[in-house]
Amino acid sequence: MWLVISGIVDGWDKADPKASVVGAVSGLVALVLTILARPGRNADVGLGAIADQLADTIERQWNNEVEARRLNDPYPLPVAWRTADAALTEPWARLTGLANDWPGGPPGEPAGWPANEAGLAGHYAQIHEVFAHRVPTRRLVVLGEPGSGKTVLLIRLLQDLMERREDGRFPLIVDTLIIGS
């Protein structure tokens, strides 16, 4: 909403691109508060149950989106990727060092990490394996031209992560719209 107001008042070239992230997080908070404030809600429902409801809602939303976009009709759209140019990324040694130094240990198994960033390249069906086992920080930024398959890839990753929900965690897709240069 702030992005729209900012774009109308100040012009689209001066709109704050971070506003869409703020809007997405605000919407998520509003959804959780709505679930909590439901009339007749059982007072004994804990945060785990609310998180499960939210995860189920997100999963249904994206499954419906896959159907609406016909992403698997007649077969899944093939999407391949490669690592970004070195000028856009942190050095591989810094990323692996950062992950190894995290409190509680790295988020994945270091033995499964590739020797360098080139080992992160893959195709559509591999996105979960690459993200969960080869990306040391489990952080992902997807870049590409319009229509190159970024959203399709992230929807596939979201669906794969939802199927394998670990420790009550579930993914969200937060999209940022950047207008202007």
Side-chain angles (χ1 to χ4, degrees):
M1 180 66 150
W2 177 252
L3 179 64
V4 173
I5 293 169
S6 178
I8 292 170
V9 173
D10 299 328
W12 291 111
D13 60 327
K14 296 180 183 165
D16 183 3
K18 294 180 182 92
S20 59
V21 173
V22 171
V25 171
S26 299
L28 180 62
V29 169
L31 176 63
V32 170
L33 291 176
T34 299
I35 291 169
L36 288 172
R38 254 188 355 221
R41 184 181 72 81
N42 184 344
D44 294 333
V45 174
L47 286 179
I50 293 170
D52 287 341
Q53 286 180 329
L54 180 57
D56 291 342
T57 300
I58 291 167
E59 186 171 23
R60 268 192 316 278
Q61 171 197 348
W62 285 106
N63 288 342
N64 291 340
E65 188 71 20
V66 166
E67 288 297 317
R69 292 180 183 217
R70 299 180 63 181
L71 297 181
N72 295 321
D73 185 18
Y75 51 85
L77 289 171
V79 178
W81 68 87
R82 61 179 172 79
T83 56
D85 294 333
L88 298 173
T89 64
E90 290 289 329
W92 186 251
R94 180 180 285 172
L95 291 175
T96 56
L98 174 69
N100 276 317
D101 290 342
W102 279 1
E109 178 56 47
W113 299 343
N116 57 48
E117 63 274 5
L120 300 178
H123 59 82
Y124 184 71
Q126 295 175 309
I127 187 59
H128 177 267
E129 195 278 323
V130 169
F131 179 75
H133 303 291
R134 292 193 226 163
V135 177
T137 60
R138 288 205 183 153
R139 294 177 181 172
L140 179 66
V141 175
V142 179
L143 305 172
E145 296 295 322
S148 62
K150 299 178 300 292
T151 301
V152 171
L153 184 67
L154 290 175
I155 291 171
R156 173 63 186 253
L157 177 59
L158 179 135
Q159 289 182 313
D160 288 349
L161 290 170
M162 285 295 198
E163 285 179 17
R164 301 167 173 90
R165 275 187 229 169
E166 300 171 4
D167 304 325
R169 297 178 292 170
F170 57 90
L172 294 174
I173 294 178
V174 179
D175 191 6
T176 302
L177 173 65
I178 299 178
I179 300 173
S181 53

